Amino acid sequence: MDIKAVVGRNVRRYRELKGISQEELAFDADLHRTYVSGVERGIRNPTVLIVAKLAEALSIAPSKLLETKE
């Protein structure tokens, strides 16, 4: 299991459910848009602090970003 890909898929899914752009999510999470893009594509390795920032901006529990569909 590639945890970076799991986090990326979940960030994209919850962002789209919220109806916001990568740019809006980045602003709300106090991150750069290209960083959010890298997370969504699974090429960035976000720290637990970044996962927490993204989750807060998405109004979800951080654990939701680590869930797999198994």
Side-chain angles (χ1 to χ4, degrees), residues 4-52:
K4 293 184 296 185
V6 169
V7 171
R9 277 193 305 271
N10 288 331
V11 168
R12 176 172 283 147
R13 181 166 57 104
Y14 285 108
R15 177 181 60 77
E16 289 175 348
L17 284 172
K18 194 170 179 178
I20 62 174
S21 67
Q22 286 181 346
E23 189 170 10
E24 289 171 295
L25 175 57
F27 180 81
D28 292 345
D30 194 30
L31 300 169
H32 198 276
R33 186 202 57 78
T34 58
Y35 188 86
V36 171
S37 173
V39 169
E40 286 191 2
R41 290 182 290 138
I43 60 171
R44 289 287 190 165
N45 188 16
T47 65
V48 73
L49 295 175
I50 297 296
V51 169

